[in-house]
């Protein structure tokens, strides 16, 4: 299963932390942290126990898609985690997504 976070920003931002909480019953496929470059955006991706973190030095205004793969461990109904974003040096610039329910048959 692929987790997709779509980020839309209306202004240029610096030193941004995007944190995507994983849903219950899922485990990340890639657990190695590394730098990535995608669609003109450079960032550092770090996978931890409960969330995947994206650290972005410079985020120009526009639309961006962050994706990573997870493995579903068991059948059932699970709440997914939410994604939150915040400027590290200007915390008043922040936002978050909603939870959705995941049903695995």
């Amino acid at each position: 299963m692929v987790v997709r976070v779509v980020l839309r920003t209306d202004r240029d931002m610096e030193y941004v932390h995007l944190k995507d909480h994983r849903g219950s019953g899922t485990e990340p496929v890639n657990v190695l942290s590394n730098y990535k470059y995608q669609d003109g955006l450079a960032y550092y991706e770090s996978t931890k126990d409960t969330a995947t973190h994206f650290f972005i030095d410079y985020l120009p205004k526009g639309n961006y898609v962050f994706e990573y793969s997870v493995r579903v461990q068991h059948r059932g109904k699970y709440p997914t985690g939410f994604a939150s974003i915040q400027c590290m040096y200007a915390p008043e610039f922040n936002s978050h997504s909603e939870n959705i329910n995941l049903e695995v048959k």
Side-chain angles (χ1 to χ4, degrees), residues 3-8 13-22 38 41 43-48 50-57 59 63-68 82-88 93-97:
V3 175
R4 180 176 294 135
V5 178
V6 178
L7 174 62
R8 293 180 185 94
M13 302 175 87
E14 292 181 331
Y15 303 108
V16 175
H17 176 209
L18 171 62
K19 181 178 185 180
D20 186 36
H21 296 271
R22 268 189 306 285
Q38 171 184 314
L41 183 68
Y43 59 92
Y44 184 75
E45 181 179 333
S46 175
T47 302
K48 299 294 181 189
T50 61
T52 299
H53 302 263
F54 301 92
F55 296 96
I56 307 160
D57 288 342
L59 180 67
N63 298 326
Y64 302 94
V65 177
F66 297 88
E67 293 181 335
Y68 61 94
F82 64 94
S84 62
I85 189 168
Q86 183 176 37
C87 280
M88 293 191 288
F93 293 106
N94 64 66
S95 187
H96 61 85
S97 70

